[in-house]
Amino acid sequence: MRRHYFLEEYCIIAAERKKRPSDFRRERGRERSDPKTCPFCPGNEEMTPPAVAAYTVDGVGPDGVERVRDWWARSFPNLYPAVTADPEPPTREWVADRARGFHEVIIESPDHDADPSEFSRQELERLVTIYRDRYASHIADPGVGYVSIFKNWGRVAGASLSHTHSQLVALPIVPPALLRELEAIGRSPRCPYCSLVEREAASDRLIFENGRFVLIAPFFSEAPYETWILPKGHAPSLEGLDPRGLEDLAEALGEALRRQDRLLSGPAYNYTIRQLPDRRYHLNLRIHPAISALAGFERNTGIFINSVPPEAAARELREA
Amino acid sequence: MRRHYFLEEYCIIAAERKKRPSDFRRERGRERSDPKTCPFCPGNEEMTPPAVAAYTVDGVGPDGVERVRDWWARSFPNLYPAVTADPEPPTREWVADRARGFHEVIIESPDHDADPSEFSRQELERLVTIYRDRYASHIADPGVGYVSIFKNWGRVAGASLSHTHSQLVALPIVPPALLRELEAIGRSPRCPYCSLVEREAASDRLIFENGRFVLIAPFFSEAPYETWILPKGHAPSLEGLDPRGLEDLAEALGEALRRQDRLLSGPAYNYTIRQLPDRRYHLNLRIHPAISALAGFERNTGIFINSVPPEAAARELREA
C-alpha cells in the first residue's frame, strides 16, 4: 500500500493479481473506419463547426467564410460539448451552477490513419505547441479557472471517433482535485514535484530523460504501466516552457507513446495534462493505458489496485 | 455542473453528449463459460482455498477436512488477493505500508448461469444476510479499518470470471474518500444522508421505495443510470438493520437490478456497499452500469461527465 507523494491518497500494488485468469483487457487503441464519412478528415470540414484555429504552413488562424483546407492541425468547438459558453440555467435544487466554459476538439493530423505513437519529431513538436497555444488562449479568459487538455485513444479509453484527436475543456472552476494539490504544495517548504523529479530520476523508476524532462513510472501508480512526464525545472504550465523545453517535452512524449505501443501491442490509452496558472504548480503529463477496469473496489474506496509494480513497469518500458 | 450533496465534488450533467455517435459501450454483463472448468461451481471446490463460510440448509460454517458440497453460497479467500494477512515488507522509499488485510470471494449461487437480476426474493434476502455476516466478521477485527463489499458483473465492469460472485476486501485503514465523508458529516448539524433521503424521496429522482428503503437516481450522479439504495432511518452499516430492514434492502436491490437489466438490456455493472462502524455514517449501496468509460477528462479533473440527467434516468427506471 503506497501513499501519494504529497497527498492523502493510496494505491495498492498487488503483483499477485497479475496471475489472475483473463486479467487485462488487451483491446487495441487503433481502429479502422471510413475516411469518407469521418468528420475529422480533410474535405469534410463542413461536418464540424468552423475552426477556432487552423494550423497551416502559412500560420494559424480561424476559419473564415470558407473553411481552411490545407491544415496540418485544426481546433474547433465540440459538437457535443460537456460545457458551453451559454449553458441552460441549472436546476434550483441542491447546489448546482451553470457549467459555463468551452469544449474544443483538436485534430492532430489530417491523416485519417495516423497513430500518435508513430508521429515524427516534427509532428510531436507541433502537437505540444498547439497544446500550449490553446491552453494560453483559454486560461487568459478571466471566467476560466482551469483548462483540461487530454487525449482518449481507442474506444475503451473513451474515444468515440477513431481519427486521432485531443480535447480541451475550459472550466469555470479549479477542480477540487487540483485545489487539494495546491493546498498540499502550499504547506510544503519546497515544490514536492521538484523533489519527486529529483528522486525518481535517480531511482529504478526512471524510463527516459533528456535535458529538460523525465519520463517515469511513478512510485504512486494507480494503473498498470502508468507513466508521468515532468519538467526537471519548475514550470507551472506549458506557457512556462521555452522552445528547447517544448522540444524536450515532444521527445519525451514520443518516447512514452512508442515504448508503450511496443510493450503493450498498441493499447488504448488516455493522456492528460495537469497545469495551472498558479506559479506554485508544477506541470505534469500522465499517461494511462486503458487495460484495467474501474471496478467496484476502486469506486467504493477511491483506492486503485495496480497489479504491475512501477519498478517492473519501468524496467519493461526501458527495454521496450 | 452539480455539487455533491455535502462534499466538495462536482459532476457535469451534459445531456447534449448523449447524441454523440457511438456514445455508450453496450457490452452485456452476462457471459457464457464452461461450468466444468469453473472454480466457482459445485464439485470444483478443490480449485479454490477452503471456505471460511459455506452456507447450507443446515447453517453456516467453514470447510473442514472435506469441502462442504451442498452449499447455496460460499465465501473463501481470493487466490489473487489485493491484500493479505501477511504481506511482503514494503519498499522503504517514500511512504508505503504493508497492505495487511483480507480479500474474500463470495459465491452467491451454485448455479453457474445465475444472473443476479433474476434472483428470487429468497436469494436476495440470503445475499444481503451474507453481506451483513461477512461484514460483521471482519469489522470486529481491531486491525481492520474498513470493509469494502462490492460486485463486478461482466468483463468491462472488471469481473474476471463469469459465475456470479461478490468480493470483500478488509483494509487496515479507513480510505481517505470515506474519511472526507465523515469529516463533512461531523460538521453537519444533522446527518446529511438522512436529509437527502427525505428530499430525494419527495423528488422526481425517486425510483422505488418500501417501508425502510429508497432507490433513487441521485442528484449528484457521476455515471449514466447510477442509482443509490439508502435506508430511510439512520443506520451506519448492515449490522444496524433488523430482519425487516434486511428484507426491504433485498427487495430494493432486486428492483434496482431488474429495472436496470430491462432498461439497459443486461448491462455490465458494479455495485458497492458503503458502511462504517462509526455511528455518524449512513449506510448506502451504489450501482453503476459500466456503460461509460473512465476517460481523460475524468482522470485529469476528478470531475465526471454524465450524459443522462438523473431525473431522466429515474423516469426511465420507474417505467422499466
Side-chain angles (χ1 to χ4, degrees):
Chain A
M1 188 156 55
R2 297 185 179 185
R3 187 177 178 273
H4 183 282
Y5 298 103
F6 57 89
L7 295 173
E8 194 61 18
E9 290 177 15
Y10 296 87
C11 65
I12 293 176
I13 307 295
E16 279 301 305
R17 285 185 73 70
K18 209 187 169 186
K19 298 174 193 155
R20 275 194 304 172
S22 71
D23 193 35
F24 286 154
R25 299 178 295 164
R26 292 279 192 176
E27 204 163 319
R28 291 181 62 89
R30 198 171 194 163
E31 280 161 49
R32 298 286 164 201
S33 65
D34 187 351
K36 282 199 205 73
T37 57
C38 172
F40 296 170
C41 267
N44 295 344
E45 289 83 0
E46 277 75 14
M47 293 171 74
T48 70
V52 291
Y55 293 78
T56 69
V57 284
D58 301 321
V60 189
D63 280 336
V65 180
E66 302 250 307
R67 306 278 160 103
V68 172
R69 296 289 179 193
D70 55 342
W71 49 270
W72 45 261
R74 185 167 186 266
S75 195
F76 52 84
N78 195 315
L79 261 180
Y80 309 99
V83 292
T84 64
D86 188 23
E88 284 180 37
T91 164
R92 289 168 67 185
E93 304 168 282
W94 304 98
V95 181
D97 213 333
R98 285 176 199 244
R100 187 180 173 280
F102 305 93
H103 190 163
E104 283 185 22
V105 180
I106 300 168
I107 309 305
E108 304 144 9
S109 165
D111 177 4
H112 182 74
D113 292 317
D115 180 330
S117 71
E118 294 165 1
F119 273 175
S120 69
R121 184 67 178 267
Q122 186 195 34
E123 286 173 309
L124 289 162
E125 287 177 15
R126 283 173 163 179
L127 181 60
V128 298
T129 305
I130 296 169
Y131 289 158
R132 186 200 55 190
D133 292 352
R134 300 312 304 149
Y135 173 79
S137 166
H138 284 288
I139 203 66
D141 181 336
V144 168
Y146 183 68
V147 175
S148 174
I149 295 177
F150 56 95
K151 176 175 183 61
N152 302 331
W153 177 250
R155 201 182 56 96
V156 295
S160 50
L161 288 166
S162 67
H163 188 133
T164 186
H165 63 287
S166 302
Q167 294 180 73
L168 177 153
V169 177
L171 292 173
I173 60 165
V174 181
L178 276 287
L179 284 178
R180 282 199 287 269
E181 280 202 72
L182 272 185
E183 278 165 27
I185 290 169
R187 283 194 302 270
S188 176
R190 186 187 174 215
C191 168
Y193 278 111
C194 284
S195 302
L196 83 85
V197 167
E198 275 176 27
R199 287 183 62 176
E200 295 292 43
S203 81
D204 56 350
R205 289 178 295 274
L206 180 71
I207 300 163
F208 172 82
E209 68 179 319
N210 53 29
R212 306 284 182 92
F213 276 83
V214 294
L215 167 65
I216 61 167
F219 173 79
F220 175 81
S221 281
E222 293 190 320
Y225 303 102
E226 174 177 347
T227 54
W228 291 11
I229 297 170
L230 304 110
K232 293 177 178 179
H234 189 81
S237 74
L238 293 172
E239 286 193 287
L241 300 182
D242 59 16
R244 170 74 196 288
L246 285 171
E247 282 172 32
D248 280 5
L249 170 58
E251 185 186 42
L253 178 58
E255 288 288 338
L257 296 181
R258 275 193 300 277
R259 288 167 186 273
Q260 169 181 276
D261 186 74
R262 283 196 292 261
L263 181 64
L264 303 174
S265 306
Y269 61 86
N270 308 108
Y271 68 69
T272 72
I273 304 176
R274 288 206 180 191
Q275 54 187 329
L276 282 172
D278 190 310
R279 291 181 58 190
R280 295 171 300 171
Y281 199 68
H282 192 121
L283 167 68
N284 62 94
L285 191 152
R286 306 180 183 192
I287 309 173
H288 290 91
I291 56 180
S292 60
L294 175 67
F297 181 76
E298 288 77 12
R299 286 202 181 271
N300 188 232
T301 63
I303 297 172
F304 281 72
I305 298 171
N306 176 357
S307 59
V308 181
E311 294 74 21
R315 190 182 61 245
E316 293 177 53
L317 286 164
R318 273 195 307 272
E319 291 165 2
Chain B
M1 189 155 55
R2 296 185 180 185
R3 187 176 178 272
H4 183 284
Y5 299 103
F6 57 89
L7 295 172
E8 194 59 17
E9 291 177 16
Y10 296 86
C11 65
I12 293 175
I13 307 296
E16 279 302 305
R17 285 185 72 68
K18 208 186 170 188
K19 299 175 193 154
R20 276 195 303 172
S22 70
D23 194 35
F24 286 154
R25 299 179 295 163
R26 290 280 191 175
E27 204 163 321
R28 289 179 65 87
R30 197 171 195 163
E31 280 160 49
R32 297 288 165 200
S33 64
D34 187 352
K36 283 198 203 73
T37 58
C38 172
F40 297 170
C41 266
N44 296 344
E45 290 83 0
E46 277 75 13
M47 294 172 72
T48 70
V52 291
Y55 293 80
T56 70
V57 283
D58 300 322
V60 190
D63 279 336
V65 179
E66 301 250 308
R67 307 278 160 104
V68 173
R69 297 288 178 193
D70 55 343
W71 48 270
W72 47 259
R74 185 168 185 266
S75 195
F76 53 85
N78 194 314
L79 260 182
Y80 310 98
V83 293
T84 66
D86 187 23
E88 285 180 37
T91 166
R92 288 168 66 186
E93 304 168 283
W94 302 99
V95 180
D97 214 333
R98 285 177 199 246
R100 187 180 174 280
F102 305 94
H103 191 164
E104 282 184 24
V105 180
I106 300 167
I107 310 302
E108 303 144 9
S109 165
D111 177 3
H112 182 74
D113 292 316
D115 179 331
S117 71
E118 293 165 1
F119 275 173
S120 69
R121 185 67 178 266
Q122 186 194 36
E123 287 172 307
L124 288 163
E125 286 177 15
R126 284 172 162 180
L127 181 61
V128 298
T129 305
I130 295 169
Y131 290 158
R132 186 199 56 189
D133 292 353
R134 300 313 302 149
Y135 173 80
S137 166
H138 284 287
I139 202 66
D141 181 336
V144 167
Y146 183 68
V147 175
S148 174
I149 294 177
F150 56 95
K151 176 175 183 61
N152 302 331
W153 176 252
R155 200 181 57 95
V156 296
S160 49
L161 288 166
S162 66
H163 189 132
T164 186
H165 63 286
S166 303
Q167 295 180 71
L168 177 154
V169 177
L171 292 174
I173 59 166
V174 181
L178 276 288
L179 283 179
R180 282 198 287 268
E181 280 201 70
L182 272 185
E183 278 165 29
I185 290 168
R187 284 194 301 270
S188 177
R190 187 188 173 212
C191 168
Y193 278 111
C194 285
S195 302
L196 84 84
V197 167
E198 275 176 27
R199 287 182 61 176
E200 294 293 43
S203 81
D204 56 351
R205 288 177 296 273
L206 180 71
I207 300 162
F208 172 83
E209 69 179 318
N210 54 29
R212 306 285 182 93
F213 277 83
V214 294
L215 168 64
I216 62 166
F219 173 78
F220 176 80
S221 281
E222 294 190 319
Y225 303 101
E226 174 177 345
T227 55
W228 291 11
I229 297 171
L230 304 110
K232 293 178 178 177
H234 189 81
S237 73
L238 293 173
E239 287 194 286
L241 300 182
D242 60 14
R244 170 75 196 288
L246 284 171
E247 282 171 32
D248 280 4
L249 171 58
E251 185 186 42
L253 179 59
E255 288 288 338
L257 297 182
R258 274 192 301 277
R259 287 167 187 272
Q260 170 182 275
D261 185 75
R262 283 196 292 261
L263 182 63
L264 304 173
S265 307
Y269 61 85
N270 309 108
Y271 68 69
T272 74
I273 304 175
R274 289 207 179 188
Q275 54 187 328
L276 282 171
D278 190 310
R279 290 180 58 191
R280 293 171 300 171
Y281 199 69
H282 192 120
L283 167 69
N284 62 95
L285 191 153
R286 304 180 185 193
I287 309 172
H288 290 91
I291 56 178
S292 59
L294 174 67
F297 181 75
E298 288 77 12
R299 286 203 182 269
N300 187 233
T301 63
I303 297 172
F304 281 72
I305 299 171
N306 176 356
S307 59
V308 181
E311 295 74 19
R315 190 183 60 242
E316 293 177 51
L317 286 164
R318 273 195 307 272
E319 292 166 2

